[in-house]
Amino acid sequence: MDFADDALRDRARRAGIAPDWTDVTGQARSVAPETLERLLALIGADEPASPVPPLVTGQVHQAIPLPPAAGTGAAVLVLESGERADITVHPGDDGRCWVPPIDRTGYHRLHLGDREITLAVAPPRCFGLDEVARGGRMWGLAAQIYALHRKHHDGLGDGGIGDSRGVAELARAAGRAGADAVALSPTHALFTAEPERFGPYSPSSRLFRNPLLADPAALFGEARVAAAIRAAGVAEALRCCESLALIDWPEAARAKLALFRALFDGFDAEAGGSLAEDFAGFVRAGGSLLQDHARFEALHAARLAADPADRDWRRWPAALRDPRSTAVAEFAAAHDREVRFHLFLQWLADRAFAAAQAEARSAGMRLGLIADLAVGMDATGSHAWSRPSDVLGGASIGSPPDAFNADGQNWTLAAISPRAMVETGFAPFLDTLRATLRHAGGIRIDHVMGLARLWLVPDGMAPTEGAYLSYPVEDLLRLVALESHRHRAVVIGEDLGTLPWGFAELLADRAVAGLRVLWFEREGDGFKPAERWDAGAVAMSSTHDLPPVAGWWRGTDIAARAALGAYADGGAAEQAQRDASRAQLWRAVGAGPLPEQPGPVVDAALRFVARSPSRLALIPLEDALGLEEQPNLPGTIDEYPNWRRRLDQTAGEALAEPTVAARLAAIRRERQS
């Protein structure tokens, strides 16, 4: 390695890019110079940075360090409550400046000389499961919203895509069974003009919601929705979509959007009233972020109508790529009603999920809904267009090679820029966090390791050619803790994968609950006894990316991959290994001869997971119902019906089935013992 390479690697380290990494075998690997150069340019490593950021995080009752450039001396602290105090910022031996300890959490303002700095003073830990459980052990169900089903009644149904009313019905049924939570798939905004892009973890924006998941009757009542269905002429289309076993996203979206437009037409023609006032207040509160999202949705639809191939805003004319341009303003003015329609859709979705959370809490749930925060966003979407400086365009989030993916992974998701976070007072992160926490009793942060580092793959390069970019993890965890307490919401971190050294302990210290999934809780040549699972984590039997217990037992996932040509031997070796694991699982969870049918295994496995000391156990709805197919088969796009499977019963009917009811009752007894 020559001097130039050494200098490049040193630049990368200083910029937060790791020039080396350790693979799954423990072997040290070096990042290629081309990758380092491209990522350095991407993050603007050579551009001057502000010497004092607009927001600094700290912990309550502890002195807060400021950068040396902040200065020292007399200052005024304005607490979030409006109270003022004269303080002194002192120099420290380490060259930094130190604000005396503050005894109240919140977003306070420090006036020091001619500077104003926001001090985000956080509690030491998140609002945790212990505070909610109060010494007990809770349980809940994990559900894919779109898969939920509710009955067609007087012309009203879910239109073929599960919605917020389906969530509320599931919460009521689960609450009657003793559950305290329903963990949901992401509700992030996708692409209204392209309903074929329906992957919930590839959002256009995480700041807003997917209106296709909203029940309009939550705002307008059943009679008005029924009238809108008749006016739009979509009753038969909605019924047809509702009868399908697999969701037809484009057809269902067309019918639902026609219904929403009919509702909007009637609403927009009204003058005044409580709903109009509520809508106006929602739009005012949403500010420029909401307006920009609505403009993008209208503009994106118009571009696609003119040219179906014109789906990527980065290839639009230069004037339309700039949300602040005169051309965009003129478009918005000329299409004001279309922009209002998309504002209307966001209002509808927000109020619908507020109603679902209220139903969940009224059903006796201590947590209610647990929202899911995707790790990134689509680079061709609303957020990247509206706030391009927030986003690291030119690279995708992924993962290096591991035991499950020998070639690594490219998730084709854009990340928030760590530099943009710091220079904007963490606005992109806080906006995203707050949007996800709205109307929820908890949040699941997908790939929580992204708070510390992300594997970034420059466009056009293989996943193996990426590198780790570090993030200000201490700042981010303080902000998570602060927002967690302000929303009285627990925090769950999806920590399945390779963790940075010491990261698990850091999460535990901050009361961010990790996940412990049955398939990965191994010990020696078998499964770890449930009694030795981590009490501070969330216990699960499976996840949306893994087979349910019944499918795992039958090898349904192996058969699906074999049918796609994933195994050179047709899956024989994998099935032999599964057969050995089946015997190990049964030794851990059951008794007597090895069952042939999966039913007894599902019952025993769920009781086993429920016996864990975890403060919260989450059972995927697929496991509660004894289903075999998983919602998503990683590594596939169209080869497997990812994100399209739909339940054939309503939640109330399904959970009332004798086998299912007995299964849930057994879980409840285990959690109460």
Side-chain angles (χ1 to χ4, degrees), residues 241-256:
C241 289
E242 288 166 9
S243 69
L244 301 176
L246 294 176
I247 297 171
D248 185 334
W249 282 93
E251 286 301 319
R254 274 190 279 273
K256 278 197 164 185

Side-chain angles (χ1 to χ4, degrees), residues 32-285:
E34 181 185 357
T35 298
L36 297 179
E37 290 279 15
R38 289 185 61 179
L39 291 180
L40 282 166
L42 185 64
I43 66 174
D46 296 328
E47 298 172 13
S50 172
V52 182
L55 182 147
V56 173
T57 70
Q59 186 170 308
V60 68
H61 302 305
Q62 292 185 2
I64 301 172
L66 301 177
T72 59
V76 176
L77 177 67
V78 182
L79 298 176
E80 195 170 2
S81 63
E83 299 171 68
R84 301 169 68 90
D86 294 325
I87 64 170
T88 301
V89 177
H90 298 280
D93 295 337
D94 57 359
R96 293 183 292 180
C97 314
W98 289 84
V99 178
I102 299 172
D103 63 2
R104 267 177 275 183
T105 62
Y107 295 93
H108 312 308
R109 288 176 292 130
L110 177 71
H111 296 272
L112 178 60
D114 59 355
R115 298 184 189 278
E116 180 180 300
I117 303 169
T118 297
L119 300 179
V121 181
R125 293 162 59 85
C126 294
F127 181 75
L129 291 168
D130 283 337
E131 282 97 323
V132 183
R134 296 185 179 276
R137 294 183 301 157
M138 303 178 291
W139 69 279
L141 298 175
Q144 306 297 310
I145 300 172
Y146 57 83
L148 299 175
H149 174 84
R150 57 184 175 86
K151 277 192 180 300
H152 195 87
H153 178 67
D154 292 338
L156 296 174
D158 56 32
I161 301 171
D163 62 15
S164 56
R165 192 196 298 190
V167 170
E169 291 180 0
L170 173 62
R172 285 200 300 272
R176 287 194 296 270
D180 278 304
V182 172
L184 300 174
S185 52
T187 64
H188 304 317
L190 303 180
F191 297 82
T192 306
E194 290 186 276
E196 61 273 16
R197 298 168 74 177
F198 50 77
Y201 289 94
S202 299
S204 171
S205 174
R206 299 176 297 176
L207 303 176
F208 303 101
R209 295 185 191 270
N210 179 1
L212 297 178
L213 303 178
D215 166 32
L219 259 179
F220 291 101
E222 294 191 0
R224 192 160 172 176
V225 173
I229 290 173
R230 291 192 296 271
V234 293
E236 187 56 37
L238 292 170
R239 286 193 189 93
C240 179
C241 289
E242 288 166 9
S243 69
L244 301 176
L246 294 176
I247 297 171
D248 185 334
W249 282 93
E251 286 301 319
R254 274 190 279 273
K256 278 197 164 185
L257 289 171
L259 161 60
F260 293 160
R261 283 191 183 276
L263 282 170
F264 173 68
D265 289 343
F267 170 77
D268 211 36
E270 294 175 357
S274 60
L275 283 180
E277 291 177 6
D278 189 60
F279 175 62
F282 175 79
V283 171
R284 281 194 304 272

Side-chain angles (χ1 to χ4, degrees), residues 13 46 82 135 170 190 199 216 221 245 248 323 367 377 488 500 507 519 550-551 580 606 638:
R13 286 191 194 92
D46 296 328
L170 173 62
L190 303 180
D248 185 334
L367 289 169
M377 68 208 83
R488 306 291 288 176
L507 292 182
W519 311 129
L606 298 192
D638 298 322

Side-chain angles (χ1 to χ4, degrees), residues 621-644:
L621 194 53
E622 293 79 10
D623 275 337
L625 303 182
L627 305 180
E628 293 188 19
E629 291 83 9
Q630 61 203 74
N632 179 53
L633 190 67
T636 65
I637 299 176
D638 298 322
E639 305 93 331
Y640 183 88
N642 294 325
W643 318 121
R644 293 184 60 206

